[in-house]
Amino acid sequence: MDIASQTVKARELRADVLTMLYKSQSGHPGGSLSCVEILMALYYNVANINPQDPHWEDRDRIVLSKGHAAPILYAILADLHYFPKSDLSSFRQIDSHLQGHPDMVKTLGVDVNTGSLGQGAAIAGGMANAAKYLKKDYQVFAILGDGELQEGLIWEASMAASHYKLDNLTFLLDHNGLQIDGTNEQVMSLGDIIAKYEAFGFSCFKVDGHDIQAIVEALNAPTEGKPKFICCETVKGKGVSFMENQAGWHGKAPNKEQYVQAMKELGVEVNV
Amino acid sequence: MSDAKSLRVAYGEALVELGTKNSKVVVLDADLAHATMTSMFADRYPDRFFNYGIAEQNLMSAAAGFAHSGLIPFASTFALFGAGRAYEIIRNAIAYNNTNVKIACSHSGISVGEDGGSHQSIEDIGLMRLIPNMTVLVPCDPIEMKKAIAAAATINGPVYIRVARPVVSNITTEDTQFEIGKVVTLREGTDVALISTGLMTERALHAALMLEKEGISTKVVNVHSLKPFDVTTIRQIAKSVKGIVTAEEHSVIGGLASAVSESLVGTLPQGFGFEKVAIMDTFGKSGKPEDLFSYFHLTAEDIANKARSIARRK
Ligand SMILES: Cc1ncc(C[n+]2csc(CCOP(=O)(O)OP(=O)(O)O)c2C)c(N)n1
Ligand SMILES: [Mg+2]
């Protein structure tokens, strides 16, 4: 898929996310909309995966460490035919395989359970270390939230990644500046995050997190035997004007009016 | 049955009230102030509120530090990340040296709903009961929440308070007795005793009404204090009925059913009925809270069914 058609795809995926949230009347719009292009860079451009063979042992692993962004992950997995797109409408309902947070036991295409912040990144580190030990070529990508960086576990995992020279491990940070109780700055300031990752021994990159091409280039850049850290500058709630940069849209579903308005902004007329 | 409100809002109000009376009270949270409702305290007393970010181990450790400096910290996050993620910190940095930290964790049980199994703590009562020095309180309604928070502050030592997410009506009154370590009989009856905690007490009362119509007389006993546990009264109650049904929004292992079993083992006559309404050693999942109560057999009807099976015995 060329990058121009991916812009159209990004809009469609955002619409899928909003529809899932509207139908279930729960879930996390802000952080799902902010990492659309990050996940697209991986799933449609870089990662070596095969939707026909979800458990292929040499596949690249993609770990959504900020598991609350599950809606965008599910929208992409459905688009890639891991499961029927019609399943999306069962999101968060009882008996759905699409849980509020990703569940590898229930959902094809999910590489690991996440939802408890900090754990995904650390598990990804273990997967990358195992690949080295098993002499496998697969890469491991983890998508982290900036609030999530406050977990001590992230720094334990980062230290280990560098110690074990995991050049097959990439952390992609969804740097949207917001968490639940406000901005990162208000809640627990992160300081100079690139300087921190450089000090932890990572190869660091900073890109526009809504520019798929730029993310892909950073993903493909050499790492000189180090784990990689890509700081993706993003907008929480990207694509829906009234959700953009609003902490209040972290974990709240749109009502009917808001849904119709949001879909309109994404170029979809809905009658509900 | 008035004043329906979310137990976490009741928690927020109780904190503000306590903070007004006691200047030593400080509140700590981990980027969930708007979910645990400690934000109410933060709005009123911004300089006595400390957000530690998404860092539950640091939250609990820092709370211990505040307590060592003579303050009374209330530390809040979701039950799974407090009682779970920070378990060993609570055990070693707080309880081991009997430190005066109050741990109030919201989003307990399957009533969390759509967020799913990763966020539904069905083991926090068990984890906290296991720790020496710990007091474990599980309020059933907004009035009891207020009393629990006030009582917790009077204890010099660690207290865990379970704060459920849903909106509930008051089933107790301001006059209902609340003493840590004592159960409360909310309804008298002679055939079966329904012993319940937290959100299940409302359901137990509902079950009792259903059973009354069928001629089955049930006693309803609310347990707000899971530790210390009222062994004496539970034994007396067991002597007065044909059987008991325990009801909790928690794993059948480690919580109320365990505490009652531990109290009664060796004291029950042959043929005594002992039934448990609880989550049967399985994880939660996504769904609407009421759908999940049905799915996991935690409804008033489920309690009534167990009571019927006991009452029918000869
Ligand atoms: C261990 C843990 N603590 C707390 C939470 C509750 N929680 C879910 S999302 C969130 C905020 C996340 O902020 P951020 O990482 O910046 O995510 P984003 O802005 O990308 O949505 C919190 C505190 C959790 N899921 N896991
Ligand atoms: Mg963020």
Side-chain angles (χ1 to χ4, degrees):
Chain A
M1 212 189 314
D2 60 75
I3 298 289
S5 53
Q6 291 195 26
T7 320
V8 177
K9 175 70 75 185
R11 242 202 329 250
E12 290 168 5
L13 291 168
R14 284 193 162 87
D16 289 343
V17 165
L18 287 164
T19 302
M20 292 164 77
L21 290 168
Y22 175 67
K23 284 201 172 138
S24 76
Q25 276 304 295
S26 73
H28 300 83
S32 298
L33 297 174
S34 66
C35 65
V36 175
E37 284 80 11
I38 299 175
L39 286 177
M40 288 184 72
L42 290 168
Y43 278 100
Y44 296 94
N45 297 276
V46 173
N48 187 21
I49 50 172
N50 179 4
Q52 268 79 58
D53 187 5
H55 298 119
W56 173 38
E57 64 178 72
D58 291 325
R59 73 191 184 282
D60 286 347
R61 270 57 166 184
I62 301 175
V63 178
L64 186 62
S65 196
K66 40 167 283 187
H68 56 279
I72 181 59
L73 173 64
Y74 298 157
I76 289 175
L77 292 177
D79 186 54
L80 293 174
H81 305 293
Y82 280 90
F83 49 81
K85 192 166 173 192
S86 55
D87 290 3
L88 294 181
S89 63
S90 71
F91 174 57
R92 285 180 167 243
Q93 308 290 328
I94 198 155
D95 292 335
S96 173
H97 70 92
L98 300 175
Q99 295 292 294
H101 294 80
D103 187 333
M104 65 186 290
V105 180
K106 295 197 164 94
T107 308
L108 275 181
V110 170
D111 278 324
V112 84
N113 288 37
T114 52
S116 180
L117 294 170
Q119 292 178 8
I123 297 167
M127 289 170 158
N129 210 355
K132 295 264 175 206
Y133 169 71
L134 296 169
K135 303 207 168 21
K136 296 234 176 227
D137 287 333
Y138 69 76
Q139 294 201 65
V140 187
F141 305 98
I143 299 93
L144 283 58
D146 43 17
E148 185 181 16
L149 292 188
Q150 292 155 359
E151 283 288 355
L153 183 51
I154 292 288
W155 302 98
E156 298 173 28
S158 299
M159 199 179 291
S162 171
H163 177 79
Y164 285 111
K165 301 189 177 56
L166 303 180
D167 56 3
N168 54 351
L169 176 68
T170 300
F171 286 171
L172 294 111
L173 178 68
D174 181 352
H175 196 208
N176 58 32
L178 293 176
Q179 45 195 103
I180 292 183
D181 285 338
T183 62
N184 304 146
E185 228 21 68
Q186 288 162 338
V187 176
M188 183 56 61
S189 29
L190 302 174
D192 184 340
I193 206 64
I194 301 240
K196 281 181 177 152
Y197 266 96
E198 257 159 11
F200 268 72
F202 279 58
S203 254
C204 296
F205 301 81
K206 184 173 172 171
V207 299
D208 173 350
H210 297 300
D211 179 344
I212 295 174
Q213 188 65 49
I215 304 167
V216 169
E217 276 165 26
L219 283 167
N220 289 333
T223 73
E224 307 134 19
K226 299 172 175 179
K228 191 184 281 185
F229 176 75
I230 307 177
C231 183
C232 306
E233 294 298 331
T234 56
V235 172
K236 198 157 176 166
K238 173 78 174 176
V240 178
S241 61
F242 57 90
M243 290 184 180
E244 287 190 0
N245 289 313
Q246 299 295 322
W249 280 104
H250 171 83
K252 187 174 78 175
N255 64 25
K256 188 166 148 179
E257 235 169 31
Q258 293 161 334
Y259 173 60
V260 171
Q261 169 68 21
M263 293 297 276
K264 201 167 163 190
E265 292 185 17
L266 295 168
V268 188
E269 291 292 335
V270 284
N271 287 312
V272 285
Chain B
M1 307 251 173
S2 60
D3 270 346
K5 66 174 69 139
S6 163
L7 285 172
R8 50 199 177 123
V9 171
Y11 169 57
E13 289 173 355
L15 271 185
V16 171
E17 198 178 314
L18 181 67
T20 307
K21 288 190 194 132
N22 190 334
S23 61
K24 287 194 171 157
V25 170
V26 293
V27 176
L28 287 65
D29 205 301
D31 193 35
L32 287 169
H34 292 88
T36 64
M37 297 317 288
T38 59
S39 57
M40 296 169 76
F41 186 93
D43 289 344
R44 183 72 167 271
Y45 298 112
D47 54 339
R48 290 158 68 185
F49 174 80
F50 302 88
N51 202 327
Y52 270 79
I54 311 172
E56 296 78 14
Q57 300 184 66
N58 196 24
L59 169 78
M60 296 302 171
S61 307
F66 274 90
H68 290 311
S69 313
L71 296 161
I72 307 175
F74 277 72
S76 288
T77 176
F78 288 173
L80 205 64
F81 309 131
R85 179 76 145 245
Y87 178 76
E88 190 266 344
I89 312 254
I90 292 174
R91 194 257 191 206
N92 271 337
I94 295 176
Y96 188 34
N97 38 26
N98 202 30
T99 302
N100 195 21
V101 175
K102 315 305 167 192
I103 302 154
C105 288
S106 74
H107 291 62
S108 51
I110 47 105
S111 54
V112 165
E114 290 88 345
D115 272 349
S118 61
H119 283 55
Q120 294 165 352
S121 169
I122 50 165
E123 58 277 85
D124 54 318
I125 297 176
L127 285 169
M128 293 297 113
R129 271 182 76 231
L130 264 173
I131 307 178
N133 289 339
M134 186 64 76
T135 295
V136 182
L137 304 179
V138 182
C140 70
D141 69 4
I143 288 178
E144 216 174 58
M145 177 62 69
K146 207 168 86 183
K147 291 176 184 170
I149 297 304
T154 65
I155 294 180
N156 185 17
V159 180
Y160 178 79
I161 303 127
R162 192 182 215 220
V163 184
R165 182 170 182 259
V167 172
V168 292
S169 302
N170 278 317
I171 51 181
T172 65
T173 68
E174 297 291 348
D175 298 332
T176 311
Q177 162 218 345
F178 185 97
E179 193 183 331
I180 287 179
K182 288 265 180 282
V183 299
V184 189
T185 299
L186 294 178
R187 190 181 202 281
E188 288 298 347
T190 51
D191 295 326
V192 181
L194 310 180
I195 303 176
S196 60
T197 187
L199 298 183
M200 295 307 286
T201 296
E202 185 185 10
R203 290 165 176 79
L205 285 168
H206 188 191
L209 287 178
M210 291 160 47
L211 293 163
E212 184 177 39
K213 291 190 187 120
E214 302 162 23
I216 301 171
S217 164
T218 49
K219 194 192 243 322
V220 177
V221 180
N222 177 45
V223 183
H224 51 65
S225 183
L226 274 287
K227 189 180 178 181
F229 195 67
D230 193 354
V231 175
T232 314
T233 312
I234 293 292
R235 283 187 183 160
Q236 282 165 3
I237 289 168
K239 287 209 177 79
S240 70
V241 290
K242 277 197 224 172
I244 55 179
V245 181
T246 58
E248 65 202 299
E249 190 206 359
H250 186 274
S251 171
V252 71
I253 301 172
L256 179 66
S258 292
V260 172
S261 310
E262 289 153 15
S263 306
L264 295 180
V265 70
T267 70
L268 299 174
Q270 224 178 6
F272 187 85
F274 193 151
E275 298 287 342
K276 298 160 184 175
V277 171
I279 296 164
M280 293 299 160
D281 194 23
T282 179
F283 286 109
K285 59 181 198 158
S286 290
K288 294 192 172 46
E290 281 315 315
D291 290 348
L292 292 171
F293 275 95
S294 299
Y295 180 87
F296 288 106
H297 298 291
L298 300 176
T299 65
E301 188 58 43
D302 294 307
I303 298 173
N305 278 337
K306 303 266 181 180
R308 283 181 195 115
S309 75
I310 293 172
R312 269 189 224 113
R313 293 184 187 183
K314 284 278 129 55

